[in-house]
Amino acid sequence: MTRNDVPPGKGQCDIRLQVDNEVDVSVHGDMVMIHTLAGRDPRDDGSECNAPLPDRNIEGFNFQVMDSRNEIRLVAEPSRRNNFTAVVHIRDSAGGEGRYHFRLSWAMGGRGGPTEERRGGGPGFSWNNTIDYRGQGRGSSALNNQGEERLLDVSVNVDRGGKILVSFRGERGRPPLAFTGTVIASEGGRLKADVVSEDRRLHGPMYISVDGRQNVNSVTLEATDGRDRLRVNWDRR
């Protein structure tokens, strides 16, 4: 956004959606990921931001509900623990679609401001600069020999600059398993990405198979920090 009502030195992101039932909305950098928990997929209703959400400690972070029909709440503030991702839960229990508008704001300044340009696009955020792949299936993650954790649906978001956010839904009650990084190769529906875990500790190549309808077919990953090793295998069903 380039609106004059955003004061200098302030980052602001307005997310406007038409929601049918229940969703989780994650904002990370210049990417927005929507995970549909129930009902139809939501529709964007004019979301805009004047800068990416910083990937560092955020000063003056604020969440504000501007418009809602039913329940909307912030379930996770950006922090190092979640790779500086804001997560908002929306539950619309009335029939049909309801309009939801929430605002994230923060203090800008110092390193990590909005002046750096991304490859393939200008500074700031655009809803249309993200390709969303989704997959319904099953998989598992295993850290060393500590046993497997089941993974459910997956969301893969790639922006025009090649930044990628991959998030797996865990079993009920477990937090999502998320990775961020950069796509380094794409050929014949197969993406190769250099990713890191949300705690920035485990690093490795991730291979993602997708189709022309933006479905995710499979995901594999082996990530390590030189001591611990994480393996992820997921397939569409």
Side-chain angles (χ1 to χ4, degrees):
M1 65 176 70
T2 56
R3 297 179 349 204
N4 294 327
D5 60 344
V6 180
K10 180 180 180 180
Q12 183 170 303
C13 191
D14 285 289
I15 303 298
R16 302 179 180 92
L17 299 171
Q18 294 285 344
V19 177
D20 172 54
N21 196 326
E22 187 174 8
V23 298
D24 282 335
V25 184
S26 300
V27 180
H28 174 81
D30 57 3
M31 296 187 291
V32 172
M33 180 181 70
I34 301 177
H35 181 68
T36 303
L37 301 173
R40 294 175 296 178
D41 289 340
R43 297 184 295 113
D44 178 46
D45 198 23
S47 301
E48 56 182 352
C49 301
N50 72 336
L53 192 67
D55 58 353
R56 54 181 170 79
N57 291 330
I58 300 174
E59 297 183 2
F61 178 80
N62 185 61
F63 166 76
Q64 184 178 5
V65 177
M66 309 299 293
D67 191 10
S68 69
R69 184 166 72 166
N70 290 133
E71 177 187 353
I72 177 172
R73 57 190 174 91
L74 180 71
V75 296
E77 290 191 11
S79 68
R80 188 173 300 277
R81 292 179 58 187
N82 64 12
N83 199 24
F84 303 103
T85 302
V87 182
V88 176
H89 180 78
I90 298 174
R91 183 175 182 181
D92 187 276
S93 57
E97 292 181 328
R99 187 174 190 271
Y100 290 82
H101 173 194
F102 65 87
R103 175 174 295 169
L104 307 178
S105 59
W106 61 92
M108 295 196 299
R111 64 182 183 87
T115 58
E116 181 181 357
E117 294 194 358
R118 304 186 322 274
R119 288 184 297 113
F125 172 95
S126 169
W127 184 274
N128 294 324
N129 74 352
T130 300
I131 302 174
D132 300 308
Y133 300 97
R134 298 184 181 184
Q136 295 182 341
R138 295 292 185 271
S140 64
S141 67
L143 180 64
N144 298 330
N145 297 316
Q146 298 176 9
E148 295 185 345
E149 293 189 8
R150 290 185 60 193
L151 303 175
L152 304 179
D153 301 347
V154 64
S155 296
V156 177
N157 307 89
V158 185
D159 76 2
R160 290 178 181 172
K163 295 179 182 177
I164 189 169
L165 171 63
V166 181
S167 178
F168 297 91
R169 184 165 63 92
E171 291 185 297
R172 182 169 297 275
R174 291 186 176 272
L177 180 65
F179 302 88
T180 58
T182 304
V183 176
I184 58 177
S186 175
E187 182 177 358
R190 182 177 167 89
L191 307 178
K192 180 181 179 181
D194 184 25
V195 302
V196 65
S197 58
E198 56 186 340
D199 61 4
R200 316 297 294 179
R201 187 169 62 87
L202 302 171
H203 176 277
M206 175 179 283
Y207 296 92
I208 307 166
S209 172
V210 297
D211 64 21
R213 296 185 177 182
Q214 295 181 227
N215 294 311
V216 182
N217 295 321
S218 66
V219 182
T220 60
L221 167 70
E222 285 203 12
T224 183
D225 62 356
R227 183 184 61 182
D228 295 322
R229 184 174 299 275
L230 174 69
R231 292 181 175 86
V232 173
N233 287 282
W234 183 95
D235 288 293
R236 179 183 174 190
R237 295 182 182 178

